[in-house]
Amino acid sequence: MADDDMLRLEAQLCFPLYAAANATIRAYRPILAPLGLTYPQYLVMLVLWEGDGRSVSEIGSSLHLDSGTLTPLLKRLEAAGLVCRRRQVADERVVLVDLTAAGQALREKALAVPKAMAGRLCLDHEQVNRLRDDLRRLVANLDTDAPQD
Amino acid sequence: MADDDMLRLEAQLCFPLYAAANATIRAYRPILAPLGLTYPQYLVMLVLWEGDGRSVSEIGSSLHLDSGTLTPLLKRLEAAGLVCRRRQVADERVVLVDLTAAGQALREKALAVPKAMAGRLCLDHEQVNRLRDDLRRLVANLDTDAPQD
DNA sequence: TCAAATTAAATTGTGCACAATTTATATCAC
DNA sequence: GTGATATAAATTGTGCACAATTTAATTTGA
């Protein structure tokens, strides 16, 4: 393919990736609205439901997000009464995040979310698995061969 | 799969999609920096390089973005001297976007971008094509079966 | 032991995304 | 023609993402 052709929007891989991510987050909005969560907040809650008392940087490395994103997001979750934050006694630099009772309870409502989204995506099992594996490989590649630092 | 298992981050499709989109935009940053463009700005330029004099809503439907996103972005491109905006004489509500000489010229620099990104993605042709097709199908599904409006 | 280097969060500033509203123009119905 | 409706951008406000810097606590090393 000529260089010229590669600049066509249709030829690009990254644009469908960008558009699909936007469309997906958009689709989550009405599904998550009853839980009072945005999609990134839902991701943080998923991490905490697997086990709370984690540090900001542990959450960050799970989700590939930094403190600049997480600090204000966690403050909003705290203001909503879903989590509470405390300094680790052994190392006062570390902030640990716990679920409140309300945060634990919200998990019951969240159980319906994956099925609701699956209904919106309209992909069969094979497509979902293949897409997930391909995307994981892509993330791994981009994480591994670091830019130049 | 039990409902409980579906809440695991590892089981999710949308999280790898979200993470891959973030990682990709991050990878574009150093490649686009010499052109003075962000990734969304680069996408708008791709559309305009395929043909300028398009309306804000035409650009928006190509990229699945609304005027709330595009208006300030186009003002930044205008401030950078890459585009200019004018009201359509036949219908003063419509704003048409043209490339300036600098905007046209920037295309030459942009020709190197797809190859530079391909080097970062580290996927073979088969994977790229499959992923692109799967993502397009996903976007089409999410666009088609509208929420409820 | 104490100054230098390191680390974890928080802060600051920029640029998206998008819902909701507003403004300006155009079209339609009568 | 003129009021009602519709349409295109722009505006407003919220919440990410992330680079760069700052603050505070910890570790290291001469």
Side-chain angles (χ1 to χ4, degrees), chain B residues 39-107:
Chain B
Y39 182 64
Q41 289 168 9
Y42 171 67
L43 289 179
V44 169
M45 295 300 286
L46 288 183
V47 171
L48 293 175
W49 285 326
E50 289 188 35
D52 64 349
R54 297 191 201 215
S55 68
V56 171
S57 53
E58 279 170 344
I59 297 170
S61 69
S62 296
L63 301 178
H64 308 279
L65 296 173
D66 69 3
S67 70
T69 301
L70 286 174
T71 296
L73 188 157
L74 289 168
K75 284 183 178 173
R76 282 186 284 272
L77 288 180
E78 190 171 41
L82 298 173
V83 308
C84 52
R85 299 181 307 147
R86 59 188 162 97
R87 292 276 167 180
Q88 189 175 58
V89 286
D91 185 341
E92 289 281 341
R93 291 172 303 181
V94 176
V95 169
L96 302 178
V97 183
D98 296 309
L99 291 167
T100 62
Q104 287 284 3
L106 192 64
R107 189 171 185 283

Side-chain angles (χ1 to χ4, degrees), chain B residues 126-144:
Chain B
E126 191 196 352
Q127 287 173 328
V128 167
N129 290 334
R130 187 176 61 204
L131 191 47
R132 188 182 55 225
D133 293 346
D134 283 343
L135 289 169
R136 278 187 191 150
R137 184 162 28 244
L138 178 56
V139 171
N141 289 352
L142 289 172
D143 277 2
T144 306

Side-chain angles (χ1 to χ4, degrees), chain A residues 10 50 120 134 136 145, chain B residues 9-10 120 130 136 145:
Chain A
E10 274 303 301
E50 289 189 35
R120 296 282 289 103
D134 282 343
R136 278 188 191 149
D145 50 276
Chain B
L9 202 59
E10 274 303 301
R120 296 283 288 103
R130 187 176 61 204
R136 278 187 191 150
D145 50 275

Side-chain angles (χ1 to χ4, degrees), chain A residues 3 7-10 17 24 46 50 115 120-122 127 130 132 134 136-137 141 145, chain B residues 3 7-10 12 17 24 39 46 50 115 120-122 127 130 134 136-137 141 145:
Chain A
D3 281 359
L7 282 190
R8 286 179 305 107
L9 201 58
E10 274 303 301
L17 178 58
T24 302
L46 287 183
E50 289 189 35
K115 214 164 286 179
R120 296 282 289 103
L121 297 178
C122 306
Q127 286 173 330
R130 186 176 60 202
R132 188 181 56 225
D134 282 343
R136 278 188 191 149
R137 185 163 26 247
N141 289 352
D145 50 276
Chain B
D3 282 359
L7 283 189
R8 286 180 304 106
L9 202 59
E10 274 303 301
Q12 305 256 338
L17 178 57
T24 303
Y39 182 64
L46 288 183
E50 289 188 35
K115 214 165 285 180
R120 296 283 288 103
L121 297 177
C122 304
Q127 287 173 328
R130 187 176 61 204
D134 283 343
R136 278 187 191 150
R137 184 162 28 244
N141 289 352
D145 50 275

